[in-house]
Amino acid sequence: STLNLSDSDFLNAKYFFSGSGGSVINRGTITAAAGGYVALLGAQAINEGIIVARQGAVALGAGSALTLDMQGDGLLSLAVDSAAMNVLARNKGLIQADGGYVFMTARSADALAGTVVNNGGIIQARTLAVKNGRIILDGGTAGTVEVGGTLDASAPNGGDGGFIETSGANVKMAEGTTITAAAPYGKAGKWLLDPVDITVDATLATTIQNALNGGSDVDVETAAGDGAGDITVASTVTWSTDNTLMLNAYRNIYVNEAIIAGSGGSVSLKADSTGT
């Protein structure tokens, strides 16, 4: 971390980091022991190399105040307590935490500051020894999350699929993005896409239907914020598996192109999510 940690907090195992530190950039290989942790914390937290924490956790956090909570038993949480200008959490390499967790989170003090969380590499948190993996990309209520590369919380060797969340004021999908929480021998995992407003354009529709066809459930939700909280389907989404697509809007859902579920597949539409 490039942020400050007071002596008293350190001695009391309270990991509260604050300040206006610079960047932490990994271009090498960092490997934790099984069940261990790797955390990069600063105004910018960037991985361009390889980070491995089997059955543990990897956290990339950007902000001016962050709390890292190491609870033992493979549990770790990271909270951004205060936003900052020009923050960035980015992965351009490989992050692998099979049977564990990967967190990328940042808070921007300026809603117009641009990208806050960006993935253009590979993040893998597959199910391992019946422990499901989780991948969280969280840009907060003002930040943009740019999703590219691969997010993999699948269970190819048995067990249930894991959980993937891409959450922010704006979520942008790059062409060729692969997202999977499939479980060929167990219960399908889920990808949660959680912006303020979202338009399912051709690029996003392709990513969604590839996830569904690959064996993952997909949940698109909008929340209250600077936008209206609408979901607009502007490109056809079609799949042939028995997986579920859920659209859950804070306000309205506009289906302007076809949604086609194959045999056994299902679609759930819920507008006005705060209503009854």
Side-chain angles (χ1 to χ4, degrees):
S1 177
T2 57
L3 303 175
N4 300 319
L5 176 64
S6 71
D7 293 344
S8 59
D9 281 347
F10 176 75
L11 291 172
N12 288 286
K14 179 181 178 183
Y15 299 102
F16 174 72
F17 299 84
S18 64
S20 56
S23 302
V24 179
I25 304 175
N26 173 51
R27 295 192 176 105
T29 299
I30 301 173
T31 304
Y37 312 99
V38 177
L40 308 183
L41 311 175
Q44 296 189 341
I46 300 170
N47 176 53
E48 297 177 354
I50 299 171
I51 302 176
V52 179
R54 189 178 174 91
Q55 292 185 304
V58 178
L60 273 60
S64 61
L66 302 96
T67 299
L68 187 66
D69 187 5
M70 292 177 282
Q71 304 167 8
D73 297 326
L75 299 176
L76 175 145
S77 65
L78 175 64
V80 182
D81 303 301
S82 182
M85 297 293 292
N86 302 316
V87 295
L88 174 65
R90 171 182 287 167
N91 173 52
K92 295 174 65 178
L94 170 65
I95 299 176
Q96 189 173 18
D98 291 341
Y101 305 85
V102 177
F103 303 91
M104 290 178 59
T105 183
R107 295 291 185 274
S108 174
D110 183 356
L112 302 177
T115 301
V116 174
V117 176
N118 172 277
N119 180 63
I122 299 172
I123 301 178
Q124 179 179 307
R126 292 178 171 177
T127 298
L128 182 65
V130 200
K131 295 182 67 175
N132 300 341
R134 297 184 67 192
I135 300 171
I136 309 294
L137 275 57
D138 180 12
T141 58
T144 296
V145 176
E146 291 187 343
V147 186
T150 298
L151 304 179
D152 183 356
S154 63
N157 299 314
D160 297 334
F163 177 75
I164 298 170
E165 178 179 347
T166 52
S167 177
N170 301 291
V171 179
K172 298 181 179 179
M173 204 67 50
E175 290 187 12
T177 301
T178 299
I179 298 178
T180 179
Y185 308 105
K187 183 180 177 181
K190 179 186 290 187
W191 167 29
L192 170 63
L193 174 59
D194 184 17
V196 172
D197 281 296
I198 193 73
T199 295
V200 180
D201 58 13
T203 299
L204 180 54
T206 297
T207 306
I208 290 173
Q209 64 188 21
N210 285 347
L212 291 162
N213 277 319
S216 307
D217 293 331
V218 178
D219 186 353
V220 181
E221 296 187 7
T222 56
D226 292 336
D230 293 339
I231 298 173
T232 302
V233 179
S235 188
T236 299
V237 179
T238 180
W239 69 101
S240 58
T241 60
D242 60 358
N243 293 96
T244 298
L245 172 63
M246 175 177 287
L247 305 182
N248 186 358
Y250 178 77
R251 194 179 72 157
N252 299 331
I253 299 174
Y254 301 98
V255 181
N256 298 331
E257 295 292 340
I259 300 175
I260 305 169
S263 176
S266 61
V267 181
S268 173
L269 307 177
K270 186 172 189 287
D272 187 20
S273 64
T274 60
T276 57

